[in-house]
Each structure stands twice: as structure tokens, then as C-alpha cells.
Amino acid sequence: MSSPQIIAGACGYGVWPANSIEGMWGCNAAPVDGVEIDVHLTADGHVVAHHDYAIAADHSRLNGAFLEASGPLLRETTLADLKAYDLGRPKPGSSYARRYPDRPGVDGLFMPTLPELLAALELAPGPRRKLFVEIKTDPDEYRESADPVALLDAVLRDLAAAEWTADSKIIAFDWSVLRDLATKAPELETAHLTVPDAMKPKVKLLANGDSPWVDGCDARQFGGSELRAIQAHGGREWSPHISDITPERVEEAKALGLAVGVWGVATAAEIATLSDLGVEALTVSGPAWSRASQA
């Protein structure tokens, strides 16, 4: 049984600031096979890496002062204005600071563009690393996120310019993105992210009862099986949160010809358990990067 690919989630968010150049440099020196990032589109057409649709208040400063509330939506803000926010230091007393109490603050850490991250990743030693790009859109009328077609087109543009298309994988909760990609770049690797079971009750359903995330392939149409829905949607890989993994679901995925890539992995014990199940990829927060790691 081959070992799964180890992918540093959000540039190793368990060790370094998420989706950051500093995190990418750290990943370059870590024993990982690739890096995952979350991307958005600015008002002036740049692809940037950030988790939330707006500037996150719990680790953001403007003119030296921490934000009292979330900053502007990325899709409504130019790159130059977004670069004014320093994202490297947790806000004292915030949930982010409590989650990473030992993480030192970094001054002068600004939101990176996809080309900037690719330029940094290019300098990693050894075999070329994989890049997993999560397209961050919200199909609830796209009130906060960028237009999915425009964002995907900009990502494809930047990957092609850096000659990184063959070493990239596009992942998305919004399956309409993956349908669009299948017509534009069918050779590019993809994975269908699924909303964790624990969060499904919070999803605002469409009038017909379907989830808005699944692009018309709701599991209800396939005997309640998300995996059969992914297969019907043309998917190649199921990418669930670790909390949704069971041996039976992995076996079902394999029987349907789907690879399995798990996210939310944090410990060496979790890496060991999932490796033994035969999954193909693990998106790991760090600092554990293998089953033998000491976290």
C-alpha cells in the first residue's frame, strides 16, 4: 500500500500564519508533498490567498491598529488596499490567539497573490511540490464571494503563466466550479469537497430541498450517498473532513472508482490511521507531517 500525499493545509496553518508567504517558506523546508491554499478574486482581478471572504478581524491590523470587526469583502477591494492590512499577529484575546497560544506574531505579513505564492513554491528543494487550490465561493447567491466563473478563469490564467497547471489540483465545495473546470481544463486534477456532516443542518437549502453546494447532484437523488452523487457529477476524488471518514465510506469510494483526500488532519496518530485506510491524500495542519512525527 502506497503512502498518501501529505499536503500542508493553508500553508501549514498549524505552524505558520495561514495562506501566507511565511507559511510557504516554512512548507518549502518541511517534508510535505504539496501545499493547499484558499483563494479569492479582488475587485481589480487579482487572485489572493485568504480563508474568509472578508479580512479576518482576529489577526489583522490597519495602520498598526487591530480591527474591531471584519474588514471589507475581498471581492470589493483592490489588491493595493488589501495589501495595507498586516495579517501576521493574532489579536490579543481573540479566538485565533487562544487557538495558537505559542505562535509568535509576525509584523509586515501581507496578503499574497497566487503568482507570489507560486514563485515561492518554485524554490522548494527536491521534486516539484503539488499545489491544491481551493476555490472559495459561496453559492448562496454569491452575496459575499467572487463570481465562480471569474475566479476560476483567473486561477487558470495564473497557473498557466507560471507553468504550474500540471502540478495543481482544483478543489471546491461549490461543485459548479468543478463542472465549469471540466469544460475548460479537463486534464487538471480535481477533488469534490463535501460539507462536514456536523455542519449540514446549517446549510440553507434550495426551494427543492437540494443543497446549493452540489450543483444539482444532491445525495437525496442517489439513495443518500454523497459518493454516488460525486461520481454522477463526474468527480474523481472525494474530499471529506476527517470527522466524516469511516472504513465503510472509504470502501464505498474505492468501489466507485473515487480517490479519497481527507482534510482537517492534525496529528501523527490521525495520519497513521488514515494511511492504513488507504486514502490517497491528507491535508495536514502541521507540525506533524507523518505517522512518525512528534507533534
Side-chain angles (χ1 to χ4, degrees):
M1 181 181 298
S2 60
S3 298
Q5 288 183 322
I6 301 296
I7 308 299
C11 298
Y13 67 90
V15 188
W16 306 288
N19 292 298
S20 67
I21 287 289
E22 183 189 55
M24 187 64 82
W25 287 121
C27 291
N28 282 355
V32 298
D33 300 299
V35 180
E36 182 261 352
I37 59 174
D38 308 297
V39 299
H40 303 262
L41 192 65
T42 68
D44 50 347
H46 295 274
V47 180
V48 292
H50 195 66
H51 184 271
D52 297 348
Y53 299 120
I55 293 283
D58 56 5
H59 59 91
S60 305
R61 288 171 289 162
L62 184 62
N63 299 322
F66 282 103
L67 304 187
E68 294 300 321
S70 296
L73 291 173
L74 274 58
R75 72 172 192 185
E76 297 176 351
T77 310
T78 65
L79 177 62
D81 286 343
L82 290 173
K83 289 278 192 181
Y85 291 87
D86 191 331
L87 309 178
R89 189 173 292 277
K91 184 178 182 178
S94 68
S95 60
Y96 188 87
R98 292 192 296 271
R99 186 178 182 184
Y100 304 108
D102 300 323
R103 177 179 294 172
V106 179
D107 294 323
L109 194 69
F110 303 103
M111 189 179 299
T113 65
L114 178 53
E116 288 169 344
L117 289 169
L118 287 169
L121 187 57
E122 182 70 68
L123 299 177
R128 202 177 214 205
R129 309 288 176 90
K130 295 283 293 186
L131 184 70
F132 284 27
V133 183
E134 182 182 339
I135 306 294
K136 295 286 287 190
T137 56
D138 183 353
D140 185 10
E141 300 180 2
Y142 300 101
R143 289 177 294 184
E144 295 189 335
S145 72
D147 173 77
V149 174
L151 175 52
L152 178 61
D153 287 348
V155 167
L156 295 177
R157 173 200 68 202
D158 288 352
L159 293 177
E163 299 183 347
W164 215 282
T165 303
D167 296 292
S168 297
K169 179 183 288 186
I170 301 297
I171 63 178
F173 286 100
D174 181 358
W175 294 2
S176 73
V177 170
L178 304 176
R179 172 172 48 81
D180 186 27
L181 179 63
T183 65
K184 293 173 176 175
E187 75 285 356
L188 212 156
E189 292 185 39
T190 63
H192 281 60
L193 292 163
T194 51
V195 176
D197 288 347
M199 294 182 65
K200 285 187 174 69
K202 299 180 180 181
V203 172
K204 181 181 177 182
L205 300 178
L206 301 175
N208 66 358
D210 284 357
S211 167
W213 296 94
V214 299
D215 192 37
C217 276
D218 196 277
R220 297 181 310 131
Q221 304 165 20
F222 301 93
S225 171
E226 283 185 312
L227 303 174
R228 288 174 56 201
I230 291 170
Q231 183 193 49
H233 196 258
R236 309 165 191 168
E237 180 177 323
W238 172 45
S239 188
H241 185 261
I242 186 174
S243 61
D244 290 348
I245 282 289
T246 66
E248 293 76 18
R249 295 183 88 176
V250 173
E251 184 178 355
E252 181 188 359
K254 301 292 186 182
L256 293 171
L258 299 175
V260 180
V262 184
W263 53 280
V265 183
T267 68
E270 290 171 345
I271 293 172
T273 297
L274 293 165
S275 298
D276 290 343
L277 286 177
V279 305
E280 282 77 12
L282 300 176
T283 300
V284 183
S285 60
W289 303 117
S290 73
R291 64 194 305 154
S293 299
Q294 296 299 314

